[in-house]
Amino acid sequence: METFCVKAIVFDIGQTLTYYPIPLNWSKLYRPAFGSVAENLGIHFTEEEYTHFGEVLTKYNTRINPREKEYSSDTIFTEMLENTSVDTSLMQDIKREFYSFFSKLGVDPSGMMFVGDEIKDMLCAHNAGAMAVLINRTGEIKDYGQDIEIKDLTELVGICRR
């Protein structure tokens, strides 16, 4: 195994760290996140645009509207920016600033391990540039593209000491 300097370990919460019957919902953070986008990029959003952004994000929020199909952030942000005064050429900047609002660790993803139990967690880790760690408590064969597979969280201690 190649050397990997772990600066942070990020966990998928649901079913990885804890079971919870009512999923978390970040919809109350949409408006402040887009307020941060506006401030950081010097863009003015109308109240109607803030409302529209929230409606589109709510439509795709699996905690509110469960679905099986995954949608790319480009698809979601394109729909958000349609029929607004926002220049669509700013979409990548808007996405970066929106996601930065939720980033609190201050660690480059290349120094992170992302631990989860589903294929979407492994895809998330790889898309962010982090090491993908699958927690597989059942022992079933699961090829989700993980970099490392563990059966319980105590194995992380050994991995981090290597």
Side-chain angles (χ1 to χ4, degrees):
M1 179 196 292
E2 69 181 75
T3 303
F4 178 79
C5 180
V6 179
K7 295 183 179 173
I9 300 176
V10 179
F11 295 91
D12 167 56
I13 295 174
Q15 312 314 81
T16 300
L17 287 180
T18 184
Y19 169 75
Y20 56 91
I22 301 171
L24 296 173
N25 178 346
W26 291 12
S27 61
K28 291 183 177 172
L29 297 176
Y30 296 160
R31 176 66 162 83
F34 274 101
S36 178
V37 169
E39 182 178 328
N40 291 338
L41 295 178
I43 301 173
H44 173 75
F45 298 130
T46 66
E47 286 306 315
E48 292 79 18
E49 288 169 335
Y50 281 115
T51 299
H52 172 69
F53 299 156
E55 288 170 351
V56 173
L57 286 171
T58 299
K59 172 184 167 183
Y60 289 100
N61 184 329
T62 58
R63 307 290 190 199
I64 298 169
N65 298 303
R67 60 180 160 78
E68 293 296 318
K69 183 176 178 183
E70 290 294 324
Y71 291 92
S72 72
S73 62
D74 281 348
T75 297
I76 296 168
F77 278 78
T78 296
E79 185 174 332
M80 282 193 311
L81 298 180
E82 285 177 350
N83 303 317
T84 69
S85 65
V86 180
D87 183 350
T88 56
S89 70
L90 295 173
M91 184 170 75
Q92 296 306 318
D93 293 328
I94 290 170
K95 284 172 41 177
R96 182 192 68 243
E97 293 299 326
F98 178 81
Y99 293 127
S100 292
F101 177 83
F102 296 96
S103 175
K104 306 297 181 192
L105 296 176
V107 175
D108 187 275
S110 65
M112 292 182 184
M113 288 181 158
F114 186 93
V115 182
D117 64 328
E118 299 178 87
I119 192 167
K120 68 180 179 178
D121 300 329
M122 302 304 102
L123 292 171
C124 176
H126 286 145
N127 286 339
M131 179 179 282
V133 180
L134 176 70
I135 184 162
N136 181 357
R137 292 181 177 101
T138 66
E140 297 173 47
I141 295 174
K142 296 181 179 181
D143 184 9
Y144 295 166
Q146 62 270 23
D147 297 305
I148 296 175
E149 185 170 322
I150 59 175
K151 64 179 178 276
D152 62 53
L153 294 174
T154 61
E155 289 183 62
L156 284 177
V157 175
I159 291 168
C160 291
R161 286 187 178 152
R162 285 188 215 158

